[in-house]
Amino acid sequence: MPPSTDDLTAPLIIPARPDLTGGRRIGVLLSHGFTGSPASMRPWAEHLGALGYGVAVPLLPGHATTWQDLNTRRWTDWYAELTRAFDALRTEHDAVVVGGLSMGGALVLRLAADRPGEVAGVMVVNPAVATKRLDVKLLPVLKHLVPSFPAIAGDIKKPGVLEHGYDRTPLKAIHSLMRAWPSLRADLPRITAPLIYFRSADDHVVDDASEPLVLDGVSSGDVTRVALPDSYHVATLDNDAPTIFDESAAFIGRVTSA
């Protein structure tokens, strides 16, 4: 029987198997994106778990409930949950690598900037830290007049694949995300951990404003960009997912080697 939607969207914890990772306990924290859920990260997490890494995929507040619930949550709520999961991994593992999709990418970049001595590596897939869209300037007013816009979830090229995200985009919540961007961009130079940046060639959610800001903004001396030529925004579930899985596994092994 295939897993239910509730099972797919639930938080995921996979225990480390140090017998597969040279005797060291290596943790990986993966964060889903805005209006998404752990379902978008589950195949990635399971791939890394099978290699012996201890993986945590938290469910960010307001997700996998209703978009109306998400509209009552803010960046501080999502970041608090991510840091809670990170601290739990840190207590049980010798090193922790963080990764995220879209808003999840922004969250793990924030974490790497705030905890530079504790993050062993950063993996981002189509992270969102800026946009060229002009209509976002109207959000401070629109969010009080219109509760939501059409969905941004489900941008997947591969036929028949579902993200299990919301069918609406709550405006108060997404405005909170965008208000967090300027301080994050200002703090990108504080990121010194190795970085691997996965970028889809055709992304209908995150435009090309974010990539140069991140790649040029971090202070990491070890930066790798990996192109995803056959995927849309939710690349972790798309045609190039095997590339993400394989390249990230190699990255984690390299940056956490004793």
Side-chain angles (χ1 to χ4, degrees), residues 34-36 65-68 70 148-154 163-170:
F34 186 73
T35 75
T65 53
T66 65
W67 69 260
Q68 292 91 340
L70 180 55
S148 66
F149 273 177
I152 59 173
E163 185 184 1
H164 298 285
Y166 290 150
D167 60 1
R168 301 293 296 178
T169 302

Side-chain angles (χ1 to χ4, degrees), residues 52-99:
Y53 299 117
V55 187
V57 187
L59 174 63
L60 302 179
H63 294 80
T65 53
T66 65
W67 69 260
Q68 292 91 340
D69 177 29
L70 180 55
N71 222 14
T72 68
R73 310 301 180 121
R74 299 295 180 263
W75 170 267
T76 52
D77 300 317
W78 310 319
Y79 188 58
E81 178 60 22
L82 193 77
T83 54
R84 183 206 62 77
F86 177 74
D87 287 338
L89 280 175
R90 282 277 296 163
T91 63
E92 299 178 353
H93 296 83
D94 300 307
V96 178
V97 174
V98 299

